[in-house]
Amino acid sequence: MNQPTAAGKPFKRLLLTGAAGNLGRQLRGALAQWADVVRLSDIAPLDDAASHEEVRAVDLADRDKVMQLVEGVDAIVHLGGISIDAPFDDLIEANIRGTYNLYEAARRFGVKRIVFASSNHAIGFHPVTEILDADSPQRPDSLYGVTKCFGESLSRYYFDRFGIETVCLRIGSSFEEPKNPRMLVTYLSYRDFIELVRCSLFTNRVGHAVVYGASDNPVKWWDNAKAGFLGFNPQDSSAQFSGLFPVTAPTAERDDPAQRFQGGAFVLGEPMERKQ
Ligand code: NAI
Ligand code: 15L
């Protein structure tokens, strides 16, 4: 795939799921530079579409609607779904059934590449003293993390069986600024997030790849050397926010599991029942 040139944009039509969310809103501007038409989808309202954007209100759990949603797109950035721990039945619909529906639609309509928003919670039960890379085993810290492991495995299968390429982004904490000391390690600036998506869409022959989404923070838990072919070089750092929190070195001996493990407080969650 090529970078945008004066001759035209590389994609005719890109699909963004989760477009109404925190990261979806950040990405919309960039996608406009990469595709003639950006198809935005969410279950939450999206009512401020620009002329190059087409809005589809779709629940990812609705297979027929997802089929219609995916028809005619060249590539997908899949951010949609539940983004925190939640009752199992809700996670099943949005993150398990929803991601399956999306990949199955991609297979049916010949979509060649998907950028999948996985999460650091797919590996959150590794201790903070370990440095992980793309081959480190999944150790989900929550049922939410389990659904991200499912997405990583599903996308692996759809690549091995059908050749659909995926870059799984194990995103750290992508917000305006870190909200707690842990996020000084896991922080991914919005600018670096957008660059990571750009690299994931435009690098040739990614196959099935796993990459960690963190800025160039002073303390690192994740080594992206094995995803070096993506050319992702974060420009930002949480160092600018270091004054927000007291500095404490990571240690495996801490009593508090929320400090011992990379997933932070997620490791303390309990399976939840859906409130009727
Ligand atoms: P968000 O919660 O702000 O956005 C997710 C969007 O998905 C929401 O707009 C929501 O309405 C939509 N959605 C939920 N269920 C849906 C369904 N059944 N059908 C269609 N749409 C549905 O989350 P955010 O921060 O924008 O994250 C985007 C993605 O990145 C999520 O998949 C999240 O798990 C992942 N991620 C984000 C991180 C972060 O720090 N922001 C860290 C790690 C992963
Ligand atoms: C995630 O996966 C969540 O989507 C986000 O809301 C944060 O909790 C983030 O991980 C994090 O670990 O900080």
Side-chain angles (χ1 to χ4, degrees):
M1 260 167 263
N2 299 316
Q3 303 284 353
T5 65
K9 297 177 184 174
F11 293 104
K12 217 164 158 328
R13 187 173 264 100
L14 272 180
L15 169 61
L16 173 64
T17 70
N22 163 39
L23 295 182
R25 290 194 304 272
Q26 298 303 320
L27 205 53
R28 280 172 65 176
L31 294 184
Q33 299 161 39
W34 305 334
D36 294 331
V37 179
V38 180
R39 187 173 289 173
L40 304 173
S41 182
D42 208 296
I43 38 168
L46 273 160
D47 48 13
D48 53 347
S51 58
H52 69 280
E53 292 175 326
E54 49 187 30
V55 171
R56 300 276 190 277
V58 170
D59 183 340
L60 290 161
D62 184 332
R63 188 158 309 154
D64 292 342
K65 290 265 174 56
V66 173
M67 290 298 151
Q68 293 162 19
L69 177 67
V70 168
E71 185 170 13
V73 307
D74 307 320
I76 302 171
V77 181
H78 180 39
L79 306 183
I82 294 176
S83 62
I84 51 173
D85 213 6
F88 182 58
D89 292 333
D90 297 343
L91 287 166
I92 283 195
E93 294 305 316
N95 293 15
I96 304 272
R97 196 183 302 286
T99 304
Y100 167 75
N101 287 344
L102 194 87
Y103 272 85
E104 190 46 22
R107 180 187 72 77
R108 241 187 247 180
F109 293 109
V111 176
K112 303 256 179 309
R113 174 134 353 151
I114 298 176
V115 179
F116 168 58
S118 182
S119 169
N120 71 88
H121 296 290
I123 47 81
F125 252 123
H126 284 278
V128 297
T129 44
E130 249 177 56
I131 304 293
L132 308 183
D133 69 17
D135 293 331
S136 298
Q138 294 174 334
R139 286 185 78 171
D141 57 24
S142 51
L143 290 176
Y144 163 68
V146 171
T147 68
K148 294 301 186 181
C149 293
F150 170 80
E152 292 187 1
S153 295
L154 185 80
S155 57
R156 175 86 241 180
Y157 166 65
Y158 272 83
F159 175 65
D160 289 338
R161 178 67 182 86
F162 305 111
I164 298 174
E165 296 193 303
T166 292
V167 182
C168 297
L169 313 180
R170 285 186 180 163
I171 302 169
S173 306
S174 196
F175 298 103
E176 194 74 50
E177 58 179 42
K179 298 177 183 178
N180 54 46
R182 169 182 169 273
M183 288 194 190
L184 292 174
V185 185
T186 57
Y187 173 69
L188 174 67
S189 71
Y190 289 146
R191 178 167 69 156
D192 286 339
F193 166 70
I194 291 166
E195 173 61 6
L196 184 56
V197 174
R198 190 191 66 78
C199 294
S200 303
L201 282 172
F202 290 108
T203 302
N204 281 320
R205 288 188 295 279
V206 295
H208 183 268
V210 170
V211 62
Y212 292 87
S215 288
D216 185 17
N217 303 328
V219 176
K220 296 179 174 61
W221 292 333
W222 307 320
D223 175 358
N224 268 334
K226 287 178 178 159
F229 60 88
L230 290 174
F232 171 56
N233 287 308
Q235 298 303 302
D236 295 316
S237 164
S238 64
Q240 58 174 315
F241 303 108
S242 57
L244 291 179
F245 309 103
V247 181
T248 45
T251 158
E253 282 84 48
R254 286 236 176 84
D255 291 338
D256 179 2
Q259 294 193 48
R260 255 181 35 225
F261 296 104
Q262 298 193 0
F266 276 63
V267 305
L268 294 171
E270 305 272 354
M272 284 176 249
E273 291 300 321
R274 190 201 299 223
K275 290 193 194 87
Q276 298 298 337

